Amino acid sequence: MAPKSDSTEGIVLNFVNEQNKPLNSQIVADCLQKFNLKKGAIQKALDTLVDSGKISFKEYGKQKIYLARQDQFDIPNGEELNQIKEENIKLQEELDGQRKAISAVEGEIKALQSNLTLEEVHKKEAKIRKEVKDMEEKLTKLKEGVTLVNPEERKAVEGMYFETVNQWRRRKRMFKDIWDAITENSPKDLKEFKEELGIEYDEDVGVSLQSFIDLRQQGKKRARGL
């Protein structure tokens, strides 16, 4: 007589049959903790199931290994196994196809979500139109010769520019005087010495003091011509 499914023996028997692989009592006890079964009760149930022929077991030294009875399972023959393999391959191909279809749909959803709503389009259009209008008004003023920078601001910027160029020229002269004094009797190669100290000339970084001086002179000429 088969044990009741809700009894300890029934729970253990169902688990062993479902697993259908070699198990020891500790593994069974660990896996059936959700049923609040103690290891002693599980061991007793395993022994009872063995005695009644419901499961089989083998001994490896002091270790007992339990296994579901194989005669209760329908074991497929070679032809059935090949059919199962073919069905498995077909199902796997269908699964891959479904995954690709899902991926394509997810891509379309992301693309749609990244698009602007109609309300957002109207807002962006209004913003761009305003920017275009402001730039057109500014362009019109420039064409008409309207000065967009007042004289005070222009004078302040020019003063800052002139002072910066003057400071640059003074510091460049100071460096040259110090450098010439240090290297006057130095036996070292000046290029190697400069690289050793990590010194860079204006030309090394693509700038020229003279170009800024010339720009300043051009600005003065334009100012006199106004």
Side-chain angles (χ1 to χ4, degrees):
M1 182 176 178
K4 294 182 179 180
S5 60
D6 59 348
S7 65
T8 301
E9 291 179 20
I11 293 171
V12 172
L13 177 61
N14 287 337
F15 177 75
V16 173
N17 287 336
E18 286 173 359
Q19 296 297 308
N20 192 22
K21 63 181 181 181
L23 302 165
N24 61 30
S25 59
Q26 185 61 56
I27 293 175
V28 178
D30 291 341
C31 294
L32 297 181
Q33 285 183 357
K34 61 183 179 180
F35 294 101
N36 295 320
L37 299 176
K38 295 183 179 180
K39 184 179 177 182
I42 289 175
Q43 182 64 66
K44 183 178 179 181
L46 287 168
D47 294 337
T48 301
L49 291 170
V50 169
D51 293 339
S52 62
K54 298 292 190 303
I55 62 174
S56 59
F57 87 104
K58 289 184 178 181
E59 286 186 303
Y60 295 92
K62 296 182 179 180
Q63 181 84 337
K64 286 185 178 181
I65 301 299
Y66 302 90
L67 183 66
R69 287 185 53 170
Q70 298 302 299
D71 56 5
Q72 65 179 313
F73 301 114
D74 294 328
I75 301 175
N77 55 37
E79 183 179 349
E80 290 173 333
L81 283 174
N82 289 333
Q83 185 177 356
I84 291 172
K85 288 179 181 179
E86 291 176 0
E87 290 178 356
N88 184 50
I89 292 172
K90 184 178 178 181
L91 290 172
Q92 187 62 47
E93 290 175 350
E94 291 179 0
L95 178 60
D96 292 340
Q98 291 294 329
R99 285 175 176 168
K100 290 179 180 178
I102 291 171
S103 179
V105 171
E106 288 177 344
E108 291 179 5
I109 291 173
K110 288 181 179 179
L112 291 172
Q113 289 176 339
S114 65
N115 292 334
L116 298 176
T117 64
L118 186 59
E119 182 180 357
E120 290 172 335
V121 169
H122 289 324
K123 288 182 178 179
K124 191 166 186 179
E125 180 187 15
K127 181 182 178 182
I128 293 173
R129 286 185 180 278
K130 185 178 184 304
E131 290 175 353
V132 170
K133 183 180 178 182
D134 292 342
M135 286 188 287
E136 287 177 343
E137 290 176 354
K138 186 176 181 180
L139 180 61
T140 300
K141 291 180 180 179
L142 290 172
K143 287 180 178 179
E144 293 173 352
V146 176
T147 303
L148 300 180
V149 179
N150 62 52
E152 291 78 11
E153 291 177 340
R154 180 186 178 91
K155 185 176 180 180
V157 172
E158 287 180 344
M160 186 183 300
Y161 179 82
F162 295 156
E163 177 61 23
T164 302
V165 171
N166 289 334
Q167 287 287 346
W168 186 355
R169 181 161 51 187
R170 281 195 292 269
R171 290 171 185 267
K172 190 176 181 71
R173 188 183 303 114
M174 289 170 58
F175 168 77
K176 186 176 184 306
D177 293 341
I178 295 172
W179 179 255
D180 290 343
I182 293 174
T183 60
E184 183 177 3
N185 298 315
S186 175
K188 289 188 175 182
D189 180 271
L190 297 185
K191 184 178 180 181
E192 292 181 357
F193 188 37
K194 179 170 74 78
E195 292 178 354
E196 182 181 336
L197 296 176
I199 296 173
E200 291 181 330
Y201 292 159
D202 295 340
E203 294 74 14
D204 294 334
V205 292
V207 296
S208 170
L209 172 61
Q210 188 59 46
S211 64
F212 287 89
I213 294 174
D214 294 342
L215 185 62
R216 185 176 70 171
Q217 296 300 327
Q218 292 173 10
K220 288 181 176 180
K221 288 179 182 179
R222 282 198 299 268
R224 285 196 297 269
L226 291 177

